[in-house]
Amino acid sequence: MRTTTTEKLAELQGNPGNVRNICILAHVDHGKTTLADALVASNGIISQRMAGKLRYLDSREDEQIRGITMKSSAISLHFHNDTGEFLVNLIDSPGHVDFSSEVSTAVRLCDGAIVVVDVVEGVCPQTHAVLRQAWLENIRPILVLNKLDRLITELEMEPLQAFIHLQQILEQVNVVTSELFTADVMSLYSSDPTQTEGGTQQTHDWHEEADEQEHKNIYFSPDLGNVVFASAYDGWGFTIDQFADIYGKKLGMNVEGLQKTLWGDFFLNSKTKRIMKGAQLKGKKPLFVQFVLESIWSVYEAVLIRRDMEMTKKIQASLGLKMNVRDTRQNDTRVLLQAMMGQWLPISSAVLGKVVEKLPSPLEIAEEKIEKLMCNQARRFDSLPPQTQALKQDFLACSSSEEKPTIIFVSKMVPVDKTALPQNKQRPLTEAELERRREAARQRHAVRMEQRQAAEEGGAETQGKENGQADGQAVADWPANKPGVAEDLEGQVFVGFARVYSGRVRKGQKLYVLGPKHDPARALQKLTEARDLDATATVSDLSSDDHVTVATVTDLYMFMGRELEALESVPAGNVLGIAGLEDHILKSGTVSSTVACTAFTDLYFDASPILRVALEPTHPGEMGKLVSGLRLLNQADPCVQVLVQETGEHVIVTAGEVHLQKCLDDLQQRYAKIEITASSPIVPFRETIVPPPTMDMVNESIITQNSGNGNVIRKEFEDDEEVLERGLVRIYTPNKSCMVQIRALPLPPEVTDYLDENQLLIKTLDQYVSSKISDRHKADIQVGSKLKQSTKEAMKEFKEKLEKLFTEAGKQWKDFVEHIWAFGPKRVGPNILVNRVEEYDRLSIWDCLSNEKQKGKVFVRDYEYSVMSGFQLATLTGPLCDEPMRGVCFVMEKWEVAGNQPKMEKNTERIDKNERNSEICGENLEIKLSKVSLDTNSIESKSKETLSECNGSSKDSDTKSHENGLTNRSVSITSDKDETEEELVPSSKGQGQNLVQGHMSGQLISIVKEACLKSFQTQPQRLMAAMYKCNTQASTEVLGKLFAVIGKRHGRILQDEMREGSQMFNILASIPVVESFGFAEEIRKRTSGFASPQLVFSHWEVIDLDPFWVPTTEEEIMHYGEKADSENRARVYMNNVRERKGLKVDKKIVEHAEKQRTLTRNK
Ligand SMILES: Nc1nc2c(ncn2[C@@H]2O[C@H](COP(=O)(O)OP(=O)(O)OP(=O)(O)O)[C@@H](O)[C@H]2O)c(=O)[nH]1
Ligand SMILES: [Mg+2]
């Protein structure tokens, strides 16, 4: 029976000081949902007896079947103790890596977290991950050490052993938090330049900071009151203050003193009755063992292990437990034990007691957290408009008064069946309604009787008809059976899983939905210009510079686990469900009553989706349903990506196999309701080049051409004129008007990894560079000053580290960082384009780091965009199998475009350059000069900007080029040029110009792309496979089988450690994603369920096999046979990808068919 009502909970919502928004976080299977069950049972929503067995918050069928949680779900609980009445909004999260995005959505809405650790398994990979999540979102955790019963029943530990074990586990957890803390403090110091000056000052500050933070309870310790010991399954839990209280009173000791010494190396001197230090040294029982663990052990011993009824009764009496008859008559002693322990040390009061005591209320939100929520890395809080900055006070006040702005963050959209909405549910009828129904039935009966009488009188034939009518009427009276209503109740609505940060949200309220790119400054200006926002627009109607829509809140709900309760309004500081936003928010978003509010920063997702499959309906005619189903799925799942590929295939990208299965089930049963066929998983690869190998396939050193000076060209390119040497190509357009000379080099692996790690910074960098290039008329704006100091510091550090990595890699990389031109593919990838074109001194991408004005600098040359696009295209689809490249450096050594001169603007600088280029490339001089006439005309509107700017700076540039040692020869060409110029000026405004430049830029894109690909091909090419990191725990018996499975799938064992005090091994392996399908299942089967791996994407690894390799030397043929195509994994993967993409595959299918037939017949 529920002990509380929705009205009571709604009332409690109004007092934010007594509200706690918390989530339960842990590694998979450490007991989160079981713990949540125990807490839910304390409110009478489920029975105490069923707690732990029901897993109430796992409401999906597949969650119950698989026994893992797949989504986060919330429930509001009522808790009261001596300090008052509290509302605890509890969110249970999944622990499986595939659903880590659900953890992010939960953590964002909370102020505190309960971190659960299984004391047998200890700290596991997801424990790290969730502690990190909590740290990043500035939420305060308490620790629950769970499954203590397993130490007694499974590991059969003695209390002392268990104490030492618990200390070790606690140590492990604290190591993780201290790592997070140190990393944070370090970054704080490195990003704040004022702190790095003066060594002594720094150390001093460091310690001060550390002490201060320590006070803030970053470490877990039972004496600090932030650790609960529990067995969620058996329903008990305690903190040491409970025992300090009991024994303090019993032994007449100081409770506070006892509280400080109960956990630690202290013992009780039985003679003096005093607490002494050094239990371990003196071989005494520590207090925790004597007072706490032994009592618990004795209960388990008596009830569960020895089943000693007499002893059990004694214990019951001494603990003052009142057992009901049903429990004492139980045959199953575990039930009896649970009843006893649950009464003695109820887990809910221990955990919730600590939650309300230790975790912050919404009123205690930190300023730092608000700033983090309101602006991302690239923006400084003080660069926001004053109205926006003023909102910080509203966050801090967390007031729900009318005049405060409403600010809500929606972290995910929860699909709810329409029939499950409170307004559509059949409620129990009230007495008055029952009476009315009875009356109606009576009347119907009377009518029927009358009719029957009439029929008897009038004849039998009308009888059936009349009867039918009456029945039909009766059926139609039932509202749910009305056809219109039934149709209405089909399908889903999306309810936003949200939190109110300020103000009060009401049903029917109109609010702004702020898109991710919303800029408060612009929106505010727009409003002052009295151009009101369109109240009817939905997210799909937004134009590219509008990022705000207006939505009406249709309903408000309180999440109650599997159910929703309707509410009229929700005040600040609470978690809620909000309806009416499904056309406005896709996955997450910010809703506010003022446009001055910024869109909250993106959620931090730990795992990126990697596993992609193509979907199609089993019956091709149902494509429409699939498409609309996919749209719903995309909105409902925070992590899934739904794409339509260029080929037209519908693809979903998921985090792993379990997630994929969940998405498919959802699509088939809920969103599309059709049968769906999924392709086998599409695994991404990367393409790269490596330094020439020194060994061949049979480990013989290669003494042929490769080992020479490295400039020898691969055989197939020997006769190719375009290939100058290994890795270097020079390509002309067919009409010889453009030439590029590009070299491909393998990047040092450390650099590639570093680039990958810093994608966010590269993106920010790119944004600034492109904004600068496009704002060239504002070339003198101080781009650097717009960046946040910490971002700038981070970028500086990024550049320095990059320089260091290049220097370490060798002399040949000197100066590369300064000349980086672009990153690719998609402008942020781990490949770089380097500018080594002589005397082309383009804008450095690092310019934003300096605060100096960049006035008058020539930024880019014409056609720069074409070169960039060519590079981006090449790196996006490599030559092996159209997969993106990774770790390749392209060096543009020469680049000539005939007649690329903005002459009519009288800018001599460019002309000089082109002439000099012509000089370099002597043999084409003639052709190019003849081209000039054509191309000078080709100025598209865009490049006019460049021209005017160049014009402005021509003086500077001129001087500069002379300083650079301009030769007499080039000066003379310049003067030649002036003549041509005069001729051409009149035609420069003609219509055909754009066309010519259009052609030119198209040609340039294609030759740059071609040159990149070709130079790539002249180097040794390799495929790179995505690798999973696989964490498994296994006992000694199944270790062999586990290794066999990993070996078969080309995996590698990275680490195998025996866990202290147990027979279990922690195994860390890496396995290629492409070999991982069914891996978890196979391991589970082969080890009879004793080991279940967790797979997380970790890195890209070169498959050290040339995909084009065939045995050539005698040894190789002897070793591998003539074709050896089955040995060549890289080739198999490459051909599979090519086949899937419909590319040409060079494969012999049958060789000597007749011979084979003869052979078979002869057998
Ligand atoms: N012996 C014992 N088993 C427990 C305890 N708590 C949970 N379990 C068991 O551990 C298993 C996993 O429990 P769950 O509560 O589903 O774990 P979870 O952390 O919610 O798992 P996910 O949501 O999938 O991450 C279940 O079989 C529980 O019965 C405990 O205190 N003692
Ligand atoms: Mg769970």
Side-chain angles (χ1 to χ4, degrees):
M1 188 64 196
R2 272 177 74 161
T3 54
T4 183
T5 58
T6 313
E7 290 71 36
K8 178 74 193 166
L9 295 175
E11 184 194 320
L12 287 170
Q13 284 188 333
N15 179 8
N18 281 10
V19 173
R20 299 289 182 275
N21 296 313
I22 56 157
C23 51
I24 313 184
L25 307 174
H27 186 74
V28 63
D29 269 359
H30 279 200
K32 295 173 291 294
T33 314
T34 313
L35 173 63
D37 255 11
L39 306 184
V40 171
S42 74
N43 270 224
I45 297 167
I46 60 172
S47 79
Q48 293 283 358
R49 209 175 262 271
M50 290 310 289
K53 299 173 189 74
L54 200 58
R55 291 190 292 119
Y56 178 71
L57 293 182
D58 284 354
S59 50
R60 295 169 56 98
E61 197 183 331
D62 46 358
E63 284 179 324
Q64 288 288 344
I65 295 170
R66 278 182 186 259
I68 60 168
T69 308
M70 296 186 177
K71 47 139 194 32
S72 41
S73 40
I75 190 160
S76 297
L77 300 176
H78 176 214
F79 175 72
H80 62 94
N81 63 9
D82 319 337
T83 49
E85 284 195 290
F86 294 89
L87 171 71
V88 179
N89 294 318
L90 179 80
I91 307 177
D92 178 34
S93 70
H96 196 284
V97 271
D98 280 14
F99 304 106
S100 61
S101 55
E102 289 278 346
V103 179
S104 318
T105 59
V107 167
R108 171 55 70 87
L109 304 185
C110 295
D111 305 302
I114 303 176
V115 177
V116 181
V117 175
D118 176 343
V119 290
V120 174
E121 296 201 345
V123 171
C124 292
Q126 278 313 97
T127 321
H128 273 262
V130 295
L131 280 168
R132 200 171 122 79
Q133 283 260 2
W135 187 267
L136 285 175
E137 292 273 357
N138 292 37
I139 71 171
R140 202 183 298 164
I142 60 166
L143 181 68
V144 173
L145 292 176
N146 191 28
K147 305 201 185 179
L148 246 69
D149 61 303
R150 290 181 71 189
L151 299 183
I152 313 173
T153 54
E154 276 176 43
L155 304 187
E156 297 176 1
M157 284 184 175
E158 290 299 317
L160 184 61
Q161 255 180 315
F163 175 55
I164 296 166
H165 181 80
L166 289 174
Q167 276 179 321
Q168 283 167 351
I169 301 273
L170 199 62
E171 185 67 32
Q172 286 176 7
V173 182
N174 280 332
V175 166
V176 180
T177 46
S178 83
E179 273 167 14
L180 291 169
F181 165 63
T182 347
D184 216 35
V185 174
M186 298 268 269
S187 70
L188 205 74
Y189 279 97
S190 64
S191 65
D192 190 351
T194 53
Q195 301 285 357
T196 41
E197 293 157 10
T200 47
Q201 174 76 23
Q202 191 185 343
T203 21
H204 172 70
D205 279 351
W206 173 287
H207 284 300
E208 229 171 69
E209 179 99 4
D211 286 348
E212 198 185 307
Q213 286 283 3
E214 221 160 9
H215 262 102
K216 283 191 194 163
N217 297 350
I218 55 155
Y219 293 113
F220 297 107
S221 175
D223 47 352
L224 292 175
N226 55 11
V227 180
V228 181
F229 300 89
S231 164
Y233 186 73
D234 288 342
W236 57 266
F238 63 88
T239 55
I240 57 168
D241 20 349
Q242 273 172 276
F243 276 91
D245 224 28
I246 300 171
Y247 284 100
K249 282 179 195 149
K250 201 163 162 185
L251 305 175
M253 282 198 253
N254 177 356
V255 175
E256 262 177 43
L258 201 54
Q259 212 164 330
K260 290 214 175 77
T261 50
L262 200 50
W263 177 262
D265 194 25
F266 297 94
F267 69 97
L268 183 73
N269 186 327
S270 48
K271 282 183 198 149
T272 57
K273 294 273 179 228
R274 287 187 57 177
I275 294 169
M276 317 283 282
K277 211 173 165 68
Q280 206 184 1
L281 211 68
K282 295 185 181 139
K284 302 277 184 190
K285 266 186 213 162
L287 290 179
F288 191 71
V289 174
Q290 189 183 357
F291 289 162
V292 185
L293 295 185
E294 284 192 344
S295 321
I296 295 169
W297 257 244
S298 62
V299 180
Y300 270 81
E301 187 116 335
V303 184
L304 206 63
I305 301 167
R306 284 200 273 118
R307 300 176 176 231
D308 183 342
M309 268 335 275
E310 223 165 279
M311 192 63 192
T312 309
K313 288 227 168 74
K314 266 191 201 159
I315 292 173
Q316 284 169 358
S318 72
L319 294 176
L321 306 178
K322 291 194 188 81
M323 307 311 298
N324 64 29
V325 189
R326 206 166 60 173
D327 288 331
T328 41
R329 289 214 188 123
Q330 273 292 338
N331 281 335
D332 186 354
T333 43
R334 187 107 199 187
V335 177
L336 175 62
L337 177 103
Q338 286 166 352
M340 285 171 67
M341 291 299 288
Q343 209 180 109
W344 179 31
L345 301 168
I347 186 170
S348 56
S349 47
V351 173
L352 291 178
K354 281 297 160 199
V355 163
V356 301
E357 182 191 333
K358 292 287 168 190
L359 298 183
S361 75
L363 291 178
E364 292 166 60
I365 188 165
E367 287 194 27
E368 189 192 345
K369 179 168 175 172
I370 301 169
E371 289 184 15
K372 246 192 197 171
L373 286 178
M374 289 183 78
C375 49
N376 59 13
Q377 250 205 340
R379 247 194 128 151
R380 271 202 324 245
F381 184 73
D382 51 21
S383 73
L384 294 170
Q387 292 101 313
T388 310
Q389 291 190 39
L391 291 177
K392 188 164 150 186
Q393 292 311 319
D394 297 315
F395 273 93
L396 287 171
C398 192
S399 155
S400 47
S401 76
E402 291 301 327
E403 60 271 23
K404 294 286 175 192
T406 312
I407 301 172
I408 300 167
F409 181 74
V410 180
S411 77
K412 68 167 179 172
M413 298 298 277
V414 186
V416 180
D417 284 334
K418 280 189 185 159
T419 45
L421 291 175
Q423 61 265 37
N424 296 338
K425 252 198 242 157
Q426 281 179 20
R427 300 197 156 269
L429 297 174
T430 58
E431 202 47 50
E433 278 170 335
L434 274 178
E435 185 51 42
R436 222 176 305 133
R437 291 226 168 157
R438 248 181 252 132
E439 185 56 35
R442 230 174 275 138
Q443 278 174 8
R444 274 202 303 274
H445 184 71
V447 172
R448 214 176 297 154
M449 290 310 286
E450 255 174 49
Q451 281 168 351
R452 191 171 295 164
Q453 251 177 9
E456 271 168 17
E457 285 159 18
E461 69 272 22
T462 47
Q463 188 182 351
K465 199 173 139 203
E466 298 290 336
N467 244 346
Q469 245 176 24
D471 280 352
Q473 206 179 1
V475 172
D477 264 359
W478 196 251
N481 286 335
K482 282 183 191 156
V485 177
E487 225 166 71
D488 248 352
L489 290 182
E490 249 178 40
Q492 329 277 320
V493 283
F494 281 94
V495 175
F497 187 49
R499 168 170 171 176
V500 192
Y501 283 87
S502 159
R504 177 182 280 272
V505 55
R506 293 179 186 287
K507 241 169 105 167
Q509 194 174 358
K510 273 200 160 65
L511 292 168
Y512 295 114
V513 181
L514 312 171
K517 287 187 184 162
H518 158 69
D519 180 4
R522 257 185 44 203
L524 284 169
Q525 196 185 355
K526 229 176 172 184
L527 278 193
T528 45
E529 282 168 10
R531 278 176 51 204
D532 210 1
L533 292 156
D534 183 3
T536 53
T538 64
V539 80
S540 50
D541 305 323
L542 281 187
S543 70
S544 59
D545 57 335
D546 256 337
H547 300 289
V548 182
T549 55
V550 179
T552 310
V553 177
T554 50
D555 279 298
L556 293 169
Y557 303 107
M558 180 189 286
F559 284 107
M560 287 301 288
R562 298 181 181 189
E563 284 165 23
L564 293 172
E565 299 287 351
L567 293 172
E568 283 304 311
S569 72
V570 180
N574 286 286
V575 171
L576 79 160
I578 178 166
L581 302 175
E582 59 184 286
D583 294 332
H584 299 266
I585 292 182
L586 181 64
K587 291 186 187 225
S588 65
T590 316
V591 184
S592 173
S593 60
T594 160
V595 286
C597 185
T598 54
F600 279 30
T601 42
D602 291 342
L603 293 168
Y604 163 81
F605 286 140
D606 220 9
S608 50
I610 182 138
L611 180 64
R612 43 174 78 207
V613 290
L615 302 179
E616 61 183 26
T618 313
H619 307 292
E622 294 175 325
M623 197 63 190
K625 282 189 186 164
L626 175 68
V627 173
S628 58
L630 282 172
R631 195 177 48 76
L632 293 176
L633 175 73
N634 191 26
Q635 193 163 21
D637 194 304
C639 183
V640 77
Q641 285 176 10
V642 175
L643 323 161
V644 181
Q645 285 194 320
E646 296 124 58
T647 49
E649 282 176 303
H650 291 270
V651 167
I652 58 171
V653 195
T654 58
E657 275 186 286
V658 186
H659 185 211
L660 172 66
Q661 196 54 48
K662 178 194 168 217
C663 291
L664 288 179
D665 288 349
D666 273 353
L667 263 180
Q668 305 206 29
Q669 289 156 20
R670 203 161 177 186
Y671 304 131
K673 294 193 174 150
I674 52 169
E675 276 179 58
I676 289 170
T677 322
S679 72
S680 53
I682 304 170
V683 183
F685 283 95
R686 292 288 181 270
E687 301 182 12
T688 192
I689 48 178
V690 291
T694 50
M695 298 285 205
D696 71 3
M697 286 295 289
V698 276
N699 278 347
E700 297 278 321
S701 78
I702 300 171
I703 19 167
T704 52
Q705 31 176 322
N706 282 350
S707 59
N709 55 12
N711 284 344
V712 188
I713 307 161
R714 270 178 51 164
K715 261 196 201 129
E716 62 258 49
F717 294 108
E718 256 168 17
D719 301 328
D720 196 329
E721 276 177 18
E722 289 177 341
V723 182
L724 305 181
E725 58 184 57
R726 181 192 279 281
L728 183 66
V729 296
R730 178 193 291 164
I731 296 192
Y732 291 93
T733 46
N735 58 13
K736 304 274 184 202
S737 57
C738 305
M739 182 278 277
V740 292
Q741 184 168 317
I742 290 181
R743 183 189 291 278
L745 296 168
L747 274 178
E750 301 77 32
V751 173
T752 316
D753 291 341
Y754 191 64
L755 292 178
D756 244 0
E757 285 161 25
N758 289 286
Q759 283 208 353
L760 212 66
L761 274 181
I762 298 180
K763 199 171 168 186
T764 321
L765 200 61
D766 177 66
Q767 278 164 4
Y768 277 94
V769 174
S770 35
S771 75
K772 204 163 170 183
I773 290 177
S774 59
D775 282 6
R776 269 179 299 171
H777 51 285
K778 295 188 229 151
D780 55 347
I781 52 165
Q782 296 178 337
V783 170
S785 63
K786 271 215 247 162
L787 280 176
K788 227 163 122 176
Q789 184 63 24
S790 61
T791 316
K792 228 153 109 181
E793 288 295 328
M795 249 176 224
K796 211 175 226 163
E797 201 183 305
F798 170 63
K799 186 186 172 194
E800 278 162 15
K801 179 87 192 283
L802 211 55
E803 269 166 355
K804 192 168 149 248
L805 289 174
F806 269 120
T807 324
E808 279 168 9
K811 268 194 284 193
Q812 71 272 30
W813 298 103
K814 204 167 157 263
D815 276 356
F816 265 59
V817 176
E818 208 44 63
H819 290 101
I820 291 179
W821 189 338
F823 297 91
K826 299 190 177 156
R827 313 167 75 98
V828 292
N831 302 288
I832 51 178
L833 177 66
V834 172
N835 171 29
R836 285 282 183 186
V837 181
E838 259 180 66
E839 295 183 27
Y840 174 32
D841 185 18
R842 77 181 287 286
L843 160 88
S844 160
I845 55 164
W846 308 109
D847 268 2
C848 60
L849 291 184
S850 76
N851 279 335
E852 290 159 30
K853 290 198 174 187
Q854 310 284 327
K855 195 159 189 165
K857 194 160 178 180
V858 176
F859 294 117
V860 285
R861 201 164 155 175
D862 296 352
Y863 301 119
E864 162 116 5
Y865 286 105
S866 308
V867 173
M868 296 250 250
S869 315
F871 164 71
Q872 299 295 348
L873 285 175
T875 46
L876 188 65
T877 51
L880 294 180
C881 51
D882 270 7
E883 291 286 288
M885 292 184 190
R886 187 172 191 280
V888 187
C889 173
F890 292 103
V891 186
M892 173 74 97
E893 296 194 344
K894 282 182 192 162
W895 166 27
E896 286 162 22
V897 181
N900 175 22
Q901 316 73 357
K903 287 173 301 280
M904 54 289 211
E905 305 287 344
K906 295 221 181 331
N907 183 347
T908 47
E909 196 235 4
R910 272 157 198 264
I911 302 166
D912 290 347
K913 266 186 195 161
N914 275 298
E915 292 311 328
R916 248 171 290 124
N917 285 345
S918 325
E919 201 183 354
I920 297 161
C921 189
E923 79 256 37
N924 293 305
L925 185 64
E926 237 180 325
I927 306 164
K928 267 180 255 159
L929 284 178
S930 64
K931 273 273 154 208
V932 167
S933 57
L934 251 183
D935 202 63
T936 324
N937 303 340
S938 57
I939 285 110
E940 61 180 303
S941 56
K942 223 182 199 176
S943 62
K944 273 184 187 153
E945 254 178 45
T946 334
L947 299 181
S948 57
E949 196 224 315
C950 288
N951 191 22
S953 63
S954 66
K955 218 172 157 194
D956 295 357
S957 322
D958 240 348
T959 0
K960 202 170 148 212
S961 47
H962 282 291
E963 276 166 12
N964 284 348
L966 201 66
T967 59
N968 286 340
R969 162 109 172 98
S970 54
V971 172
S972 74
I973 292 184
T974 316
S975 58
D976 281 359
K977 206 73 205 165
D978 285 339
E979 289 168 29
T980 342
E981 189 186 307
E982 269 155 34
E983 273 173 41
L984 294 169
V985 170
S987 63
S988 69
K989 291 195 173 80
Q991 270 290 317
Q993 305 152 5
N994 288 347
L995 190 69
V996 181
Q997 171 138 17
H999 283 171
M1000 186 67 91
S1001 50
Q1003 286 180 17
L1004 200 56
I1005 293 176
S1006 99
I1007 59 162
V1008 171
K1009 181 182 173 195
E1010 196 188 328
C1012 287
L1013 295 180
K1014 198 154 194 179
S1015 57
F1016 179 98
Q1017 282 171 311
T1018 58
Q1019 295 274 25
Q1021 312 167 68
R1022 294 290 181 272
L1023 267 189
M1024 293 184 96
M1027 302 294 282
Y1028 272 138
K1029 198 157 63 185
C1030 155
N1031 267 294
T1032 321
Q1033 308 199 330
S1035 58
T1036 357
E1037 303 91 65
V1038 296
L1039 214 56
K1041 286 177 186 155
L1042 184 74
F1043 285 0
V1045 178
I1046 294 175
K1048 197 179 91 187
R1049 290 170 179 262
H1050 303 285
R1052 262 180 305 127
I1053 308 290
L1054 304 175
Q1055 213 179 53
D1056 52 342
E1057 274 179 354
M1058 190 151 186
R1059 199 139 9 91
E1060 267 177 67
S1062 72
Q1063 290 290 306
M1064 299 290 277
F1065 276 84
N1066 274 347
I1067 295 139
L1068 184 66
S1070 90
I1071 112 163
V1073 175
V1074 61
E1075 300 284 353
S1076 71
F1077 304 109
F1079 174 69
E1081 203 50 49
E1082 185 176 348
I1083 290 221
R1084 245 181 310 238
K1085 270 190 204 142
R1086 295 283 301 269
T1087 61
S1088 330
F1090 281 112
S1092 64
Q1094 292 268 301
L1095 298 171
V1096 201
F1097 171 73
S1098 80
H1099 65 286
W1100 294 94
E1101 198 168 287
V1102 176
I1103 304 172
D1104 204 11
L1105 278 168
D1106 182 355
F1108 299 108
W1109 173 81
V1110 278
T1112 43
T1113 63
E1114 230 168 80
E1115 287 89 0
E1116 282 176 348
I1117 294 177
M1118 247 167 62
H1119 205 276
Y1120 296 105
E1122 234 167 73
K1123 280 199 294 168
D1125 39 7
S1126 60
E1127 303 292 332
N1128 195 342
R1129 245 184 341 125
R1131 192 193 185 91
V1132 175
Y1133 295 153
M1134 180 180 82
N1135 283 345
N1136 285 345
V1137 177
R1138 292 189 72 95
E1139 257 169 39
R1140 195 190 75 224
K1141 293 188 176 173
L1143 301 171
K1144 212 175 119 211
V1145 178
D1146 184 18
K1147 202 158 90 175
K1148 278 183 193 160
I1149 298 171
V1150 178
E1151 202 170 359
H1152 310 306
E1154 306 82 12
K1155 256 192 208 166
Q1156 286 172 2
R1157 212 181 303 143
T1158 333
L1159 276 176
T1160 340
R1161 223 181 276 156
N1162 285 349
K1163 254 185 193 172

